[in-house]
Amino acid sequence: WGKASIKSDCSISEMSVLMQEDGKPNSLRFDNVATTMMMCPDMETETIVLNALNETKSFSMKDNKVYLLGENGNELLVLKKR
């Protein structure tokens, strides 16, 4: 397990991260997600980010972006470094 933090629109989330679970090379799981849940003018971004983190099962990387993928390989969220 490792640790990660993500800043979305106006909240910050911290979580535990597990990569390569059970020998699956691109598996990824977020656990113990804690967020500041600031009252943003529009909570849509925070909701999308938190739902994506909870549903993530794997990831892929391309063009300096990390793609969080769901159970069936569906794209949940694209992360890029700012």
Side-chain angles (χ1 to χ4, degrees):
W1 286 95
K3 297 282 184 184
S5 62
I6 295 175
K7 182 175 184 335
S8 55
D9 198 21
C10 65
S11 294
I12 298 172
S13 300
E14 294 187 357
M15 67 224 62
S16 298
V17 180
L18 178 62
M19 295 178 71
Q20 297 184 356
E21 184 177 24
D22 298 329
K24 300 173 187 170
N26 288 339
S27 67
L28 179 65
R29 190 172 88 202
F30 297 102
D31 201 12
N32 301 318
V33 178
T35 185
T36 58
M37 291 303 288
M38 304 297 277
M39 288 306 297
C40 307
D42 179 6
M43 291 297 290
E44 183 177 0
T45 301
E46 274 65 27
T47 301
I48 290 169
V49 170
L50 290 175
N51 287 341
L53 293 175
N54 286 322
E55 295 174 20
T56 296
K57 302 295 181 201
S58 63
F59 73 98
S60 66
M61 295 175 62
K62 184 177 179 184
D63 300 325
N64 293 320
K65 296 177 186 170
V66 176
Y67 296 82
L68 301 183
L69 308 174
E71 187 75 39
N72 299 315
N74 54 312
E75 187 178 294
L76 300 171
L77 194 67
V78 180
L79 304 174
K80 61 181 179 178
K81 188 174 181 177
R82 285 187 144 183

